[in-house]
Amino acid sequence: MKYYKYLIMEGNAYKIRTFIALQHIILIIWFFIGLFMFAYGEYIKTGIGIVSFTLLILVLMILRPSKFRVCPQDQRIQVDRAKLEKTPDSYSFSDFSSFEMDTIYWLRIPINSTLYARFNFEGKTSRHVVSQSFGRGQCRYCPMSWEN
């Protein structure tokens, strides 16, 4: 199997490398606000609640595996579903339609980019998140590493 810059080899498939995104930064800021409220404020219960809630969400975000896998030998793309009982959606390379990139700007500065993959399967169109990044740099080059 080949080495790609933004794809991580996992068995016979590749998973997409994760990047720091805007929601990660916001949760870390909330964590520090909760610590500050707990240590220096009069609202100790609120600080404990904010710290515990953000730690729970941060742990779930870190432990969550990549939901998007590319299997080049089978020429398939697997997308894990959010529900536990559902099997992963599996798309052929021929079902792939296009990439889309949404960028959120603040004062002309890109603060979050999300890369989507659009699939046409059995007459239905579905759109799945491939990668997110803080800014535009890493997310833009992710699909270019798929080319043969």
Side-chain angles (χ1 to χ4, degrees):
M1 295 187 76
K2 292 183 178 179
Y3 170 76
Y4 295 100
K5 188 174 181 179
Y6 295 108
L7 301 175
I8 300 169
M9 193 175 359
E10 185 179 86
N12 291 336
Y14 292 99
K15 69 179 185 177
I16 308 297
R17 189 176 142 206
T18 55
F19 301 102
I20 295 175
L22 181 64
Q23 60 266 26
H24 300 122
I25 303 294
I26 291 171
L27 282 173
I28 291 171
I29 289 171
W30 270 106
F31 176 75
F32 285 122
I33 288 172
L35 281 179
F36 182 78
M37 288 178 69
F38 177 71
Y40 299 110
E42 296 177 8
Y43 302 103
I44 295 175
K45 290 180 184 177
T46 305
I48 291 172
I50 290 173
V51 167
S52 61
F53 182 70
T54 55
L55 272 179
L56 175 69
I57 292 176
L58 283 171
V59 165
L60 291 176
M61 287 174 76
I62 290 171
L63 292 179
R64 185 196 78 162
S66 177
K67 292 186 169 198
F68 204 88
R69 287 182 174 63
V70 179
C71 305
Q73 284 91 8
D74 304 334
Q75 300 220 343
R76 314 265 324 142
I77 297 173
Q78 288 183 341
V79 181
D80 293 339
R81 306 292 305 264
K83 298 178 183 173
L84 295 175
E85 298 171 4
K86 294 275 187 172
T87 58
D89 288 342
S90 185
Y91 299 102
S92 170
F93 282 175
S94 62
D95 295 335
F96 174 76
S97 175
S98 65
F99 283 112
E100 297 176 11
M101 190 159 124
D102 291 342
T103 305
I104 299 172
Y105 290 96
W106 184 69
L107 297 176
R108 293 189 177 201
I109 300 171
I111 58 173
N112 192 35
S113 294
T114 306
L115 181 68
Y116 296 98
R118 186 173 292 277
F119 298 97
N120 293 324
F121 184 69
E122 296 177 357
K124 290 191 224 173
T125 300
S126 61
R127 186 173 111 159
H128 298 283
V129 174
V130 176
S131 181
Q132 291 181 328
S133 72
F134 188 70
R136 251 182 102 138
Q138 296 94 358
C139 201
R140 182 176 17 182
Y141 299 113
C142 192
M144 291 178 194
S145 66
W146 295 6
E147 296 175 359
N148 292 334

